[in-house]
Amino acid sequence: MLRNAFPKWSPAAIKSALMTTAYTVDNSGKYIRAMSITHDQLILSTPFHHGSGHVDPNKALNPGLVYDIAPSDYEAFLCTIGYTETQMKLFVKDGRKVDCDSVRLSSQGDLNYPSFSVVFESGRTQTVKYKRMVTNVGTSADAVYKIRSALHI
């Protein structure tokens, strides 16, 4: 449906639209629950249980902003997290060599992806900054977007 509506969007832009417009409540308006393995009971789910949430294809038709990414960005991410030349060959099928020394990201969290996670060290005050670039695909060129973050501990 999205490919038909936006034939010039990349697969990453389509995935972004689906992820950023998903919802995390059930039909009764309550947060999605997950089964606790250790206690055999329902608990509030986290993004590790439900991912982005339930896909809402109609809402994804007008996501406002999308995060786009190219295969070379994934290559830079894999280099940043320490993949070896041998491991990179598994992902780069056209036979070219990826020079990890020249394509690394500043931080592994800087992959231009619609979600991310942060690991904090216990007992330390820390600030973590990740960069993202979005494209306004909404109907209003003058739209103003405000950042809202969710911290799941």
Side-chain angles (χ1 to χ4, degrees):
M1 178 176 91
L2 289 173
R3 170 64 66 210
N4 191 42
F6 304 104
K8 293 185 179 181
W9 280 14
S10 71
I14 291 172
K15 182 176 183 176
S16 170
L18 292 168
M19 289 176 69
T20 59
T21 58
Y23 56 93
T24 57
V25 294
D26 62 21
N27 292 341
S28 67
K30 296 180 181 169
Y31 284 105
I32 298 170
R33 296 197 157 299
M35 181 59 73
S36 168
I37 296 171
T38 56
H39 297 98
D40 199 27
Q41 63 185 3
L42 288 177
I43 59 171
L44 285 180
S45 67
T46 71
F48 296 106
H49 295 109
H50 61 249
S52 296
H54 286 279
V55 170
D56 186 339
N58 291 319
K59 202 170 178 184
L61 285 168
N62 188 16
L65 302 172
V66 293
Y67 298 78
D68 207 357
I69 196 167
S72 60
D73 297 313
Y74 286 109
E75 293 167 8
F77 172 75
L78 293 174
C79 287
T80 303
I81 63 172
Y83 274 54
T84 66
E85 184 178 330
T86 302
Q87 291 169 316
M88 291 300 290
K89 287 180 184 178
L90 298 171
F91 296 97
V92 182
K93 297 295 184 187
D94 59 10
R96 65 185 165 75
K97 182 181 181 239
V98 177
D99 180 12
C100 282
D101 291 331
S102 65
V103 298
R104 291 183 197 280
L105 300 172
S106 298
S107 162
Q108 63 192 28
D110 285 340
L111 181 66
N112 201 46
Y113 198 70
S115 67
F116 57 87
S117 65
V118 178
V119 177
F120 292 104
E121 293 180 34
S122 181
R124 289 190 55 209
T125 300
Q126 295 173 270
T127 300
V128 177
K129 295 180 182 182
Y130 289 148
K131 292 182 273 184
R132 295 290 187 270
M133 181 176 291
V134 293
T135 302
N136 183 358
V137 295
T139 53
S140 174
D142 297 332
V144 175
Y145 295 91
K146 295 184 179 186
I147 296 172
R148 182 184 76 200
S149 65
L151 180 62
H152 296 276
I153 299 176

